[in-house]
Amino acid sequence: MTSVTDVNEKSPLANMGSSGAYQKLLAFASLIALLIGFSIASPNFMQTSNMIAILQATSVNGVLAVAATLVIITGGIDLSVGTLMTFCAVIAGVVLTYMGMPLLLGVAAAIGAGALCGLVSGTFVAKMKIPPFIATLGMMLILKGLSLVISGTRPIYFNDTPGFDQISRGSLIGKVIPSLPIPNGVLILFIVAIAAAYILSRTVLGRYTFALGSNEEAVRLSGVNTDVWKMRIYALAGGICGIGGILIASRLNSAQPALGLGYELEAIAAVVIGGTSLSGGRGTILGTIIGALIMAVLTNGLRVLSVAQEWQTVVTGAIIILAVYADMVRRKKSG
Amino acid sequence: MSKLVEMTGIEKYFPGVHALKNVQFDIAPGEVHALMGENGAGKSTLMKILSGIYQRDGGDLVINGQSVSPTTPGEAQDLGIGIIHQELSLMNDLTAAQNIFIGREPRKSFGRLDEAALNAQTAEIFESMNLDMDPTVPVGSLTIAKQQMVEIAKALSFRSKVLIMDEPTAALNDAEIAELFVIIRGLKAEGVGIVYISHKMDELKQIADRVTVMRDGEYVGTVGAAETPISQIIAMMVGREVNEEPLEVPDLGDAEVSLKVTGLNRGRDIQNVSFSVQRGEILGFAGLMGAGRTEVARAIFGADARDGGVIEVHGQSVNIRTPSDAVKAGIGYLSEDRKHFGLATGMNVRDNIALSSLDLFSKGGQLDEAAMASTTQEFIRRLGIRTPSDTQEVRLLSGGNQQKVVIAKWLLRDCDILIFDEPTRGIDIGAKSEIYKLLEELAAEGKTIIVISSELPEIMRLSHRIAVMCEGRLTGILPGGKDTTQEDIMQLATQREAAMRVVETVQ
């Protein structure tokens, strides 16, 4: 670089292992280790059908985790991703089943409702200065209640909307490559993930997402309207939850209003395992996807090995602690 | 009469700095000994050694006739040294008594707290101070002055023989100061020795018996408070030789007034401040810590709300409510605390320079990284920022280079009014002169520069005119260059009642 006048004394190596990279590597290695371990333990594990089941199980959690990643990088947290997903599914049910609107309109309504709810959360956080934990905790409960109210506490089925279940369950890839019937839900997850990764790394919105998490006051004093950008990020995350709502509704061919609680914790767990810092400023979508896959592989593998469900939960919890502890140890070493 | 404390030949080194050089200080029972000096003279460091927060690297500390080396504040407390920090360290939700005995509460069996004993002991201490206060009152509901009394009571509860007070009146009004002085006189009568750190000259005359002056980490001298004129004490404080050649103040003639502030107000911090700056001018803001200079800068920049005042930029009144309004008007602010308010330290040089101008590189929300890279590299070249590349994280740069990154941010944003708050804090000497040159070049290019600095030589070195503040008020505007001495500035900086001496070159 011609502009370089002098080299800073500090080792350039210090710059290489930015927290995410190492943790991603660690997470990726753990994923491979889990896959190998389970294949040795059970011959049923490495079947194509089982692999597809794992991917299918990752799709909804993965999408929610991507949404949570965006908010967490700003230094916030979103506890409402799970019940917002359900709320969006219910909205889709109302538009498609109750009102008999065309398929695309239902999908648009779900995503729009998600973005709007995200904007509301963002307003609470940015304008009213309510801590994100509290604001989204409130939203989580509000949305859970609204889903039950709107649906009359009963599931809404999509039997009258032909093709709705194909959104998640169909397989465009399987049509082209019959031996690889990867469901559309997984395809959608990857499209969402790539789009989110692009937004984070290549757009103004993405740059401000990191900047807000890195030092919000400095960004504000740079003359940036931080409130507006934060609201946009929450709205984007909400819209992604809307996509999650479509995916789960399509997979179940129904909107289950009681569902949703607990999904937010799985999403946050995936984000954390993927190396995104809960204090903001650092994180990657790739890490989050790997984190979501680890969670799915673990659940699936333990089930294949006939480990009781209760114990699966225990193991998941332990993995989260381990993943974050490994990151802490590394951080301390690198100073 | 034997001394309570005698410090002789005290030496202290910090990485790269010889902070205390052969300093001496002593305290007799029943006296108020004022410790004076400019910011950075070494007063706090000396007192931190006495109170066990730092350890000395040389010299002797004798307390009650014994040579000692306290290594923790607890050990110093046991030796009878109590310190009241400038920033009160009380827990607002606990009562006065609970605060005073925090960590050593009287107990009953099974670890239960003995609240009755706690309150009784506290009442005893208050009585000895002639202080009328309820031990069970929550500290958060007290005024700052009363909270200070609680701090004093806390120090006394350790049976302190020596009480160190670091700018105890900084946040008090006149009535409260009088209240504090009554307490101090009472303590004197009891034989307590008091170290009184303050910048306020008039207080010395009221309360102090002796005054010791420090400068640049060195002991200057000890004089009697009553018989020494204030001008002599100020001369002792600033007496260092100025080794810079006198500044040539350019004749700006009738250059446009680019920033005009009229009647700026914000609570107690800013009281009716008015001034104006011309295109190409460097206006220095001098004053002691807490004089309200940073507050003025933040209010102009919209970082804090203001109660009143009109801000005119290039002759147009602008309504600045947020930093983003200020930036639109072409005002940039470089905070004294780069780490917290200036830089996104986890991000790289390129992102930090572009932070307030991302819209310039946006095509429909998408960032043009190539354009960002070439623009930031141009600034790296132009300002001589020493970094391996524009993708280096800013936290790995030196202080001077970090400051240049922040300057680049505002230049890229095309701000033509730049407010520098302590531009060389934490920057080594070599880099300082580079920053000075940069500021002069910017002014010569027609930018309007405001420099806030606590270092008088820096103010004298840079300013075309010098605005001086004391306790939220602008006490005067002096001409720059050789006509103004450090004594002139200190006089205004310690002038508590407004006797404005304004030397305006612009109306």
Side-chain angles (χ1 to χ4, degrees), chain B residues 371-384:
Chain B
M372 271 171 77
S374 70
T375 306
T376 50
Q377 279 163 22
E378 193 193 311
F379 274 104
I380 289 172
R381 212 172 7 245
R382 188 172 140 201
L383 302 186

Side-chain angles (χ1 to χ4, degrees), chain A residues 48-321:
Chain A
T48 311
S49 61
N50 194 46
M51 285 297 111
I52 286 172
I54 290 175
L55 285 174
Q56 176 74 290
T58 312
S59 64
V60 171
N61 282 340
V63 167
L64 296 185
V66 167
T69 306
L70 296 177
V71 172
I72 289 172
I73 292 177
T74 68
I77 190 96
D78 194 344
L79 296 179
S80 67
V81 294
T83 58
L84 177 54
M85 164 194 84
T86 303
F87 179 74
C88 295
V90 169
I91 293 293
V94 169
V95 172
L96 294 176
T97 304
Y98 288 2
M99 297 162 70
M101 298 285 197
L103 180 63
L104 268 179
L105 219 57
V107 172
I111 297 175
L116 194 68
C117 292
L119 189 65
V120 171
S121 294
T123 308
F124 290 158
V125 172
K127 289 282 179 203
M128 294 161 68
K129 312 288 177 212
I130 299 170
F133 189 96
I134 309 295
T136 58
L137 179 71
M139 275 306 271
M140 168 175 111
L141 295 172
I142 290 171
L143 292 169
K144 179 181 165 65
L146 283 180
S147 299
L148 291 166
V149 171
I150 293 171
S151 63
T153 72
R154 281 183 305 275
I156 307 173
Y157 292 93
F158 292 95
N159 295 331
D160 303 336
T161 313
F164 186 77
D165 63 336
Q166 292 302 306
I167 294 176
S168 174
R169 291 195 228 167
S171 177
L172 289 176
I173 296 176
K175 271 186 195 150
V176 184
I177 315 164
S179 60
L180 202 65
I182 291 177
N184 291 339
V186 178
L187 195 62
I188 291 172
L189 166 64
F190 284 109
I191 292 170
V192 167
I194 290 168
Y198 183 83
I199 289 171
L200 274 182
S201 63
R202 291 275 178 270
T203 67
V204 178
L205 182 66
R207 198 58 44 94
Y208 282 137
T209 307
F210 282 104
L212 283 172
S214 178
N215 189 345
E216 183 175 341
E217 188 60 11
V219 179
R220 189 176 81 93
L221 291 180
S222 295
V224 176
N225 195 334
T226 46
D227 292 356
V228 168
W229 288 103
K230 212 189 263 185
M231 285 158 66
R232 287 181 186 160
I233 294 159
Y234 276 85
L236 174 64
I240 294 174
C241 291
I243 297 175
I246 296 290
L247 285 181
I248 190 131
S250 163
R251 201 162 99 202
L252 305 172
N253 200 26
S254 61
Q256 301 284 343
L259 209 70
L261 273 188
Y263 279 68
E264 68 285 338
L265 296 182
E266 295 218 1
I268 293 167
V271 175
V272 168
I273 292 173
T276 293
S277 157
L278 275 185
S279 49
R282 284 165 193 276
T284 59
I285 296 294
L286 180 58
T288 295
I289 297 296
I290 292 173
L293 282 171
I294 287 179
M295 302 268 294
V297 166
L298 208 60
T299 313
N300 178 285
L302 292 173
R303 195 182 305 139
V304 169
L305 294 183
S306 317
V307 174
Q309 179 127 36
E310 304 83 277
W311 281 107
Q312 293 175 23
T313 318
V314 174
V315 172
T316 312
I319 292 288
I320 294 171
I321 306 271

